[in-house]
Amino acid sequence: RILMQQLAPARRLVLYGRSSSLNTQRVLWCLHETGVPFDLRLTSATLGESGRLGGTAFGGTEDPGFVRCSPFGQIPALSDSATGAQLWESASIIRYLAAVYKPSLLGPAVPAYRPQEAGYRLAQAARASAWMDYHLAAGANIYGHDDFMGNLMTHLVRMPAGGAPVTVAAHGAQRQMQFCDETVARAAEAAAAQFGRLDAHLRSAGTPYLAGDELTAASARALCRRLRAALSQSE
C-alpha cells in the first residue's frame, strides 16, 4: 500500500485545512463542484481527529508547502502546481477556482451566440462574489461575543466533556475558555437574527438562492452555517 501511494501521481490541487472548519467546508464544496481531483492535507493548530478542543491537533502548520500558501498560518489554503497558485482566504480560493476551473460557481455562463448578455453575467458574478463576503459586514471577531457561529460550535460541540476549561490558540494568540450558558444563549439569538435577515432577503428578491435563480458559491457559506447550526443544536 505504501509503495502504491509513492508511485501514485501527485494531484495538482492540494487543500490544507480540516473538514470541521467552516471556511474549509465551503472550499471543499466548491472543489467537488469543479470535479477536479485534489488532496486534502489535514492541517490545524487547534483541532484534530476528536473534534474537541484540548485534544491532539492535526498540526501541519509548519509544513513548508502550507507556509508558502498561508503566511499567517490560516486555513484553508490551496496550492495548484498546474498554475503555481498559492492561496489563502476561502473567498479568494473560490474566486480562483471559478476563474480557472468552473466559471459557473459564480453564475451561469453566457452563450457565445448571445454576447450582449456578457454585462449581465459580470453583474451576476459580482453579486455572487459580494455574497461570499457578506459575513464581513457583521464584523465578527473569532471567539468574540459577535462570533455567533464560532461560539455555538465551540461551546456546544468542541468543548471538552464535563465543562473543564481549555486553552485555545487562534491567530497567534492564546486564551482560556470554559463553557458558558450566557454565551450560548447570546450566540443562538444572534444566529436566529442573522438567518432571519437571509430569509427576508430571499423573500424580497423572490429567488431560491442568495445570488439568483441558480445555486452558486454565494450560498456556500450560508448553507454551511445552517448545517453547523443544526449540528450544534443536535449535540
Side-chain angles (χ1 to χ4, degrees):
R1 182 176 178 182
I2 295 176
L3 179 60
M4 290 295 291
Q5 291 176 342
Q6 291 174 342
L7 293 177
R11 290 175 174 169
R12 61 187 183 184
L13 287 176
V14 176
L15 178 66
Y16 299 89
R18 52 179 167 77
S19 57
S20 60
S21 153
L22 172 62
N23 288 325
T24 304
Q25 286 171 356
R26 67 172 179 165
V27 173
L28 282 168
W29 180 81
C30 291
L31 277 168
H32 284 292
E33 285 292 314
T34 67
V36 178
F38 67 92
D39 283 330
L40 172 62
R41 296 189 184 173
L42 294 171
T43 306
S44 177
T46 56
L47 293 172
E49 195 68 37
S50 71
R52 298 277 185 177
L53 293 169
T56 301
F58 287 121
T61 55
E62 303 300 322
D63 181 283
F66 173 69
V67 174
R68 284 193 295 271
C69 292
S70 183
F72 297 101
Q74 295 173 273
I75 59 170
L78 182 83
S79 172
D80 187 346
S81 61
T83 64
Q86 296 176 329
L87 307 168
W88 79 103
E89 291 291 351
S90 58
S92 294
I93 293 172
I94 293 170
R95 292 183 184 105
Y96 169 79
L97 293 174
V100 177
Y101 293 106
K102 190 168 185 176
S104 61
L105 284 172
L106 295 181
V110 177
Y113 58 87
R114 297 167 70 180
Q116 69 275 13
E117 294 188 10
Y120 174 77
R121 163 72 177 86
L122 290 173
Q124 289 294 97
R127 186 167 181 77
S129 183
W131 271 111
M132 285 164 53
D133 293 328
Y134 87 91
H135 62 287
L136 299 178
N141 298 310
I142 187 168
Y143 299 127
H145 291 314
D146 50 358
D147 182 15
F148 65 87
M149 190 53 63
N151 281 324
L152 283 176
M153 290 296 296
T154 297
H155 288 265
L156 295 180
V157 178
R158 295 175 177 165
M159 283 289 188
V166 63
T167 300
V168 178
H171 296 183
Q174 291 192 337
R175 58 180 300 182
Q176 196 163 62
M177 300 180 66
Q178 191 168 12
F179 179 83
C180 175
D181 285 316
E182 182 181 348
T183 297
V184 172
R186 185 168 51 240
E189 182 178 354
Q194 185 71 226
F195 293 139
R197 294 180 68 179
L198 292 177
D199 289 339
H201 164 76
L202 291 173
R203 288 193 299 269
S204 175
T207 59
Y209 303 107
L210 292 177
D213 293 323
E214 297 189 25
L215 180 63
T216 66
S219 299
R221 187 179 181 90
L223 288 172
C224 289
R225 278 189 162 191
R226 284 281 196 182
L227 290 172
R228 287 160 71 87
L231 172 64
S232 65
Q233 292 169 356
S234 68
E235 287 289 324

